[in-house]
Amino acid sequence: MMTEDEVVKGAISGNVFENFEIANYTALIAAAEQLNDSESVSIFTRIREQEQAMADWTANHLGNVTKQFLIRSSTPGVEAKK
Ligand SMILES: [Fe+2]
């Protein structure tokens, strides 16, 4: 069941998922290195860089999402869940 702070939880979950992806690509890179598969190492490294950029973006916006949620929650007549 979703609670009223679902937007904040969603923002947190987004950051967690991006970091989960980074960990997975780190493992894939190590496996590819072990197999001397330099093409895969290169591909996974590029993807991991994209995941890191997204993780940074989600982390950089989490504080503002939380503050905006709290402001909207305390403002009569304003929907806070959007
Ligand atoms: Fe991602």
Side-chain angles (χ1 to χ4, degrees):
M1 179 175 169
M2 299 296 269
T3 59
E4 291 185 10
D5 61 348
E6 63 194 32
V7 68
V8 176
K9 289 178 179 171
I12 292 168
S13 296
N15 182 258
V16 168
F17 188 72
E18 296 304 331
N19 281 285
F20 173 77
E21 290 180 308
I22 291 166
N24 278 279
Y25 281 107
T26 298
L28 286 170
I29 290 165
E33 287 173 344
Q34 188 69 20
L35 297 170
N36 295 313
D37 182 352
S38 61
E39 182 179 357
S40 293
V41 169
S42 177
I43 291 168
F44 295 149
T45 299
R46 281 198 312 273
I47 295 171
R48 186 176 63 178
E49 289 169 357
Q50 294 170 356
E51 301 300 347
Q52 184 63 60
M54 196 62 196
D56 291 346
W57 188 91
T58 60
N60 289 336
H61 287 81
L62 181 55
N64 192 44
V65 167
T66 303
K67 289 176 183 175
Q68 289 299 316
F69 169 77
L70 292 171
I71 290 168
R72 293 175 72 91
S73 294
S74 64
T75 305
V78 175
E79 181 84 35
K81 292 189 278 186
K82 293 181 181 175

